[in-house]
Amino acid sequence: MIAGKKQRSFKELGPLVALMSLAIFTTVLNPRFLTAFNLQALGRQIAIFGLLAIGETFVIISGGGAIDLSPGSVVALTGVMVAWLMTHGVSVWISLLLILLFSLGIGAWHGVFVTKLKVPAFIITLGTLTIARGMAAVITRGWPVINLPGSFLKIGQADFLKIPVPVWILIGVTLIADFFLRKTVYGKHLRASGGNEIAARFSGVNVDAVRTIAFMVSGFLAGLVGVIVAARLSQGQPGVGSMYELYAIASTVIGGTSLTGGEGSVLGAIIGASIISLLWNALVLLNVSTYWHNVVIGIVIVVAVTLDIVRRRFVSK
């Protein structure tokens, strides 16, 4: 147990050092990085990627090659839907409740296909990616949904104690998710399912239920991000969320989650999301062409995955 704790700390220490080094490097090259305006903008971006990364972490830890490719499109669809509901007379709170339940349903849909119908997670979530993106365009006919209530916009735009509301939401979700992952029976079963599915089943773990819940967590958080993004933009925009799923996956891997399952942490996911967000922010502050942004992030993903594979080979020896 002690060795396991040391290994987790070591895996999170590396990304944390990288995050701090990137922040110092960016500050030296452009002192505007430390302005209140930039830090608040960065915090909102970290909140979006962090929430998605937490959901992706649950899915990947569950093992079986599970991965969720749908979060970005679900963000677009749920943002459009919550905006559409409110502009058609549904109250803010009822709209939020319906959208979050709908998001849970998307996760359950994925879980059933993966565990009962044995459809690879890659395929069913890729299908949802396409369906959700298409439905967002169908509902809006390509136009944003505007004139949203002011009380709703506070979710994405307001501050509390000079800290953006989305950051507070991320903090709350992080505490809850970390508790469930590290302190509950479900968290132990989730790691067991991802580490050795056969042994977990022989031990009485309901692997199908564990994985379905993991997909539901991912779907729920994607829906929550859809709400936040719609409130932040003051509109339901069918074009948002592009590449978000890749940023979420990158965040989990950079934060130490193993793509083979069984290993990972919420803290690691947040650190990974912070690195991706900070890297993006740094490229903007340093006036690097947007054409290079995805190139740089892609290189970071490749390096992170390669290091994970090398580490696992070293540990196995």
Side-chain angles (χ1 to χ4, degrees), residues 36 50 66 88 133 142 220 236 238 253 266 277 296:
H88 284 75
R133 184 67 65 180
F220 176 85
V253 175
V266 173
S277 301
V296 174

Side-chain angles (χ1 to χ4, degrees), residues 250-265:
S251 297
T252 62
V253 175
I254 292 171
T257 298
S258 173
L259 288 173
T260 58
E263 297 180 29
S265 69

Side-chain angles (χ1 to χ4, degrees), residues 103 112 252:
S103 303
V112 169
T252 62

Side-chain angles (χ1 to χ4, degrees), residues 3 18 73 83 85 91 99 103 127 137 169 178 192 218 243 266 272 287 305 312:
S73 295
L85 287 171
S91 70
I99 290 305
S103 303
I169 294 175
D178 184 67
S218 182
M243 300 288 288
V266 173
N287 295 317
V305 173
R312 290 182 64 82

Side-chain angles (χ1 to χ4, degrees), residues 270-294:
I270 300 303
I271 294 174
S274 299
I275 291 176
I276 292 292
S277 301
L278 180 52
L279 182 59
W280 200 352
N281 184 262
L283 293 172
V284 172
L285 289 176
L286 300 178
N287 295 317
V288 176
S289 170
T290 56
Y291 298 120
W292 284 99
H293 289 192
N294 287 334

Side-chain angles (χ1 to χ4, degrees), residues 158-170:
D159 301 330
F160 178 68
L161 299 179
K162 297 185 179 181
I163 297 176
V165 169
V167 175
W168 288 111
I169 294 175
L170 174 63

Side-chain angles (χ1 to χ4, degrees), residues 86-111:
M86 289 185 294
T87 55
H88 284 75
V90 182
S91 70
V92 172
W93 290 109
I94 296 298
S95 298
L96 293 177
L97 177 61
L98 291 176
I99 290 305
L100 294 179
L101 289 175
F102 174 75
S103 303
L104 280 172
I106 291 178
W109 150 281
H110 292 158

Side-chain angles (χ1 to χ4, degrees), residues 36-37 44 60 81 84 90 112 132 149 161 170 198 210-211 235 239 241 259 262 264 292-293:
F37 176 81
R44 289 187 172 92
I60 294 177
M81 289 178 64
W84 187 91
V90 182
V112 169
L161 299 179
L170 174 63
I198 296 177
V210 167
R211 284 190 178 144
Q235 58 183 252
L259 288 173
W292 284 99
H293 289 192

